[in-house]
Amino acid sequence: MIAILGVSHKTGPISVREQYTFSEEEISEFYARLKPEKCFKGLAIISTCNRQEIYFETNLNTEDENFEFITNCLSKYRTYSPLHKEYFYFYTGEKVVDHLFKVVSGIDSMILGEDQIVMQVKNAFRFCFENNFLSTVLTRLFNKSFEAANRVRTETNISHGAASVSSAAVEMCFDKFDNITDKKILIIGAGQTGELTLQNFSKKNCNHLYITNRTFEKADNLAKKYNANALKIKDIDKEINNFDIVIAATSSKNYLVTYSMIKPLNKKRVFVDISVPRNIDKSISTIKNIELLAVDDLQSHINEVSIKRHQSLIDAQQIINEVKRDFVQWVNSRNLLPIILKIKDNFETINNTELEGFLKINGIKEDTFISQYGHHIVEKLARLMIKNAKSVTDNGKNKEYVDFLNKLFEI
């Protein structure tokens, strides 16, 4: 059974989401804890600023068993608390398929139709695939989700108009100042979100852009690309008070901007933290003339774009349903594989045994023609039986009949 345990911007505040973030190293550690479990078959984790989702497959049969399995494992690895249960969602079977397809298509995003999530999920999938964390079914599931997302974005208008968490952050900064083009702006983080933020400011003709990153070379390359300046991360402490706008977008587990760094100044400054977990100490909001914004504060800027895209939802859902139906049929057909193998093996075994006895009793030496005829009859009966098995089980969908046929064709 495939299942998902997750928390997102729709179900839990950042104070909860940031407790369940996973770095690639932590995903590997979590997988190592699950692997010895006999029921465990595969794992994929999506960890972004807006969602933390654990996709997994087991051979457990009920939702309750799967929920207990994953929450117990998470409790041993993280301080998962039953008090957080209200913030989490848990799906199994087709609901997992529908949810993932919506996530990758941008339908479940804070900004409807945003395309940054596609690359984030692809990176998560690539990491899990290359490290053999995925089962065959999970691999197929994620590949079909990318197919669904591509069709939704090319066959509907859901992605029309630039919108992302980074662009919303930039728009919010523009609303805070009468003239932003001459403001000194620092972006902390040279990952995808950091680059998109830098790109958005650059497009709006901001003249004093700075970017810093743990790896200076990466920051320097982006600075050259967007006509900005690179700042060494060790210099943040002494330079931070020279900036009017600071945007943090990294995967660091620690505060990169602390209360002790910030000096009270007689000018307005805006800090935007779009990192999860947070990279800016929230206590700096108590300092005079400082305004601190986090991911959850971007919602108002996002709503306007989302309203325009909402009309594409019906077409997007129709596409998702088509690709989901194809995936579900593939999964169901896998349920019939053991039966098909049993039918063929049983008939072939009976044919070989009976043919050997028939030739021996009748004193006939090995006869190629008789052997070929026997094989022909076996193939014909097997095809007929397999056809009927697919029909009776609705191509593997009816698990009760699948289980019955499995027992029926045991030798």
Side-chain angles (χ1 to χ4, degrees), residues 69-220:
F69 167 76
I70 197 65
T71 52
N72 283 343
C73 292
L74 190 59
S75 296
K76 293 174 183 176
Y77 184 70
R78 286 281 169 82
T79 53
Y80 170 77
S81 168
L83 296 175
H84 289 163
K85 184 177 179 180
E86 64 177 298
Y87 301 115
F88 279 82
Y89 41 88
F90 178 76
Y91 306 131
T92 60
E94 290 189 30
K95 289 183 178 179
V96 177
V97 185
D98 194 66
H99 176 78
L100 178 61
F101 286 12
K102 287 179 178 177
V103 167
V104 184
S105 298
I107 293 175
D108 197 58
S109 297
M110 182 182 285
I111 303 173
L112 183 65
E114 63 94 6
D115 53 12
Q116 189 176 350
I117 187 63
V118 179
M119 188 55 64
Q120 291 172 329
V121 176
K122 282 185 176 180
N123 288 338
F125 167 76
R126 186 180 300 111
F127 174 76
C128 292
F129 180 79
E130 290 175 351
N131 286 278
N132 297 316
F133 296 165
L134 296 161
S135 64
T136 301
V137 173
L138 286 176
T139 299
R140 178 84 170 192
L141 171 66
F142 275 83
N143 280 322
K144 295 300 284 187
S145 76
F146 302 139
E147 177 187 329
N150 182 60
R151 286 191 56 191
V152 167
R153 285 181 167 81
T154 55
E155 297 177 26
T156 75
N157 293 324
I158 202 165
S159 295
H160 284 204
S164 65
V165 171
S166 54
S167 64
V170 172
E171 290 298 328
M172 184 170 281
C173 290
F174 266 78
D175 287 347
K176 301 298 180 180
F177 295 93
D178 293 331
N179 181 16
I180 199 176
T181 55
D182 290 327
K183 299 298 178 183
K184 202 170 181 180
I185 302 167
L186 172 65
I187 297 160
I188 304 173
Q192 185 182 25
T193 302
E195 179 175 2
L196 287 172
T197 306
L198 181 62
Q199 184 183 69
N200 283 319
F201 274 122
S202 179
K203 286 180 178 179
K204 293 182 178 293
N205 299 317
C206 293
N207 299 316
H208 305 288
L209 295 173
Y210 290 75
I211 185 165
T212 186
N213 191 62
R214 183 176 58 182
T215 305
F216 179 76
E217 184 180 3
K218 192 171 183 180
D220 192 43

Side-chain angles (χ1 to χ4, degrees), residues 199-314:
Q199 184 183 69
N200 283 319
F201 274 122
S202 179
K203 286 180 178 179
K204 293 182 178 293
N205 299 317
C206 293
N207 299 316
H208 305 288
L209 295 173
Y210 290 75
I211 185 165
T212 186
N213 191 62
R214 183 176 58 182
T215 305
F216 179 76
E217 184 180 3
K218 192 171 183 180
D220 192 43
N221 288 337
L222 286 182
K224 292 174 181 176
K225 183 177 178 180
Y226 295 103
N227 195 29
N229 305 282
L231 179 71
K232 291 182 179 179
I233 200 156
K234 66 181 180 66
D235 294 332
I236 287 181
D237 195 355
K238 63 183 180 182
E239 296 290 342
I240 192 78
N241 291 288
N242 294 325
F243 294 98
D244 303 287
I245 297 170
V246 176
I247 297 183
T250 85
S251 57
S252 172
K253 299 289 184 182
N254 304 310
Y255 287 148
L256 299 178
V257 179
T258 63
Y259 182 87
S260 61
M261 291 182 183
I262 309 303
K263 298 176 181 177
L265 298 176
N266 192 28
K267 69 172 183 176
K268 181 178 182 179
R269 287 179 288 172
V270 174
F271 288 73
V272 185
D273 194 347
I274 51 180
S275 307
V276 178
R278 284 172 283 202
N279 289 168
I280 301 178
D281 187 345
K282 59 184 178 182
S283 63
I284 73 165
S285 61
T286 62
I287 299 174
K288 184 181 178 181
N289 294 325
I290 294 283
E291 184 171 4
L292 175 62
L293 305 168
V295 172
D296 293 351
D297 297 312
L298 304 180
Q299 193 63 55
S300 61
H301 283 262
I302 288 162
N303 288 339
E304 184 179 348
V305 173
S306 294
I307 290 171
K308 294 177 181 178
R309 295 179 172 188
H310 231 76
Q311 59 189 12
S312 298
L313 279 177
I314 295 176

